[in-house]
Amino acid sequence: MTTALDVEELRSRLVAPNGPYAALDVVESTASTNADLAAAGAADRTVLIALEQTAGQGRRGRSWSSPAGGLYVSILFRPDVPAEKLPWLNLIAGLALVRVAQSVGVEASLKWPNDLLLGADAGKGAGILSEITADGSVVVGIGLNVAKLPADVQPAPGGLAPTSLEDLGAAELDRGELAFRLLVELAGLEGVWRKNGGDAVESGVLEEYQEHSATIGRQVRVELTGGVELTGAASRVESDGTLVVRGTDGVDHGVSAGDVVHLRPA
């Protein structure tokens, strides 16, 4: 596996006029690619890649383990779509990750809203964090485990065991090539979604997401803000990206944000 990325090659393949992105940069190490990009006032479709993060952020302010050997990418989008459609960027990033994992021979699925599950044991291979900035743009941060993980990497919230593409025998481990594939898939999915005004049905992303969802049909526990928990069966994802859970009370509850734990069958 290569230890560095050829930034000029990536730019030649991905940045306009040859590709869909406005700008692309690569750094060896940074605290957080999301924080760096959000502070930069960057143009639509600007990319920042790091080979290591020292203060990666997960959902709800948690730290995200970002060891050397992974791929950490943030992309700033300024899509002209209604604000209520913007959460789909997080789910679209998940679809791009599934396509990349499958392209290198690794089984992949998605745990709503932001985890890539890899292999037969459904370990966590990637996380996604999308943040809306003060000027209304969206920074989508993706952390993909590529190299074998250190033994001391902690389980994800909900007890998900961490894993990586190398741990699962991926056919391709060059981070430059993986970054290229990921950004091409993301640009394609986001571009169709954007052309359809953020409509998840018309753009096809809702159907594709439900096809790859490991959450739909599962018994789940959703940890909501304020210590509230919802337990029930995840039945579908709505066109606005919310997860519908039929609670033990028999009522359908729409969840727009929360940590989902997949429960083992009784």
Side-chain angles (χ1 to χ4, degrees):
M1 184 175 64
T2 58
T3 57
L5 274 70
D6 187 334
V7 64
E8 293 303 330
E9 181 183 1
L10 285 172
R11 285 173 179 159
S12 71
R13 299 170 76 187
L14 289 168
V15 174
N18 299 323
Y21 291 96
L24 183 150
D25 202 4
V26 177
V27 296
E28 284 289 327
S29 180
T30 189
S32 165
T33 54
N34 264 28
D36 291 349
L37 208 50
D44 182 29
R45 290 182 171 167
T46 294
V47 179
L48 178 63
I49 302 173
L51 303 185
E52 180 183 27
Q53 285 187 128
T54 57
Q57 289 289 302
R59 282 173 46 80
R60 299 168 78 171
R62 297 189 184 98
S63 62
W64 161 253
S65 180
S66 309
L71 181 64
Y72 310 106
V73 185
S74 289
I75 310 97
L76 185 139
F77 292 107
R78 300 180 183 275
D80 185 18
V81 304
E84 64 270 18
K85 309 287 190 183
L86 293 177
W88 263 102
L89 285 169
N90 200 81
L91 306 183
I92 287 169
L95 292 178
L97 282 166
V98 166
R99 290 182 177 186
V100 170
Q102 291 180 337
S103 78
V104 297
V106 176
E107 180 182 346
S109 60
L110 295 167
K111 182 169 79 69
W112 187 94
N114 67 324
D115 290 331
L116 176 74
L117 306 182
L118 296 177
D121 293 333
K124 180 171 177 174
I128 307 157
L129 179 65
S130 299
E131 301 174 286
I132 299 177
T133 68
D135 65 1
S137 60
V138 181
V139 177
V140 179
I142 300 168
L144 173 62
N145 297 333
V146 179
K148 285 185 176 294
L149 295 177
D152 60 353
V153 173
Q154 296 298 306
L160 275 179
T163 191
S164 73
L165 294 178
E166 185 173 12
D167 285 326
L168 293 168
E172 173 66 72
L173 292 170
D174 183 292
R175 282 184 290 177
E177 183 59 30
L178 291 169
F180 174 75
R181 292 186 192 187
L182 176 60
L183 289 165
V184 166
E185 295 291 3
L186 181 57
L189 287 159
E190 191 271 342
V192 173
W193 170 82
R194 184 186 296 213
K195 285 179 182 177
N196 283 279
D199 189 312
V201 176
E202 290 298 318
S203 61
V205 295
L206 175 60
E207 181 179 4
E208 185 172 347
Y209 188 88
Q210 299 206 112
E211 176 185 343
H212 295 297
S213 173
T215 301
I216 296 171
R218 292 286 296 268
Q219 291 292 317
V220 299
R221 183 178 72 250
V222 187
E223 299 170 356
L224 305 167
T225 56
V228 177
E229 292 188 349
L230 169 65
T231 301
S235 60
R236 64 187 184 277
V237 172
E238 293 280 25
S239 60
D240 62 358
T242 58
L243 177 69
V244 176
V245 176
R246 175 151 293 187
T248 54
D249 56 4
V251 175
D252 284 347
H253 300 266
V255 179
S256 59
D259 286 329
V260 171
V261 177
H262 289 173
L263 302 178
R264 296 183 184 278

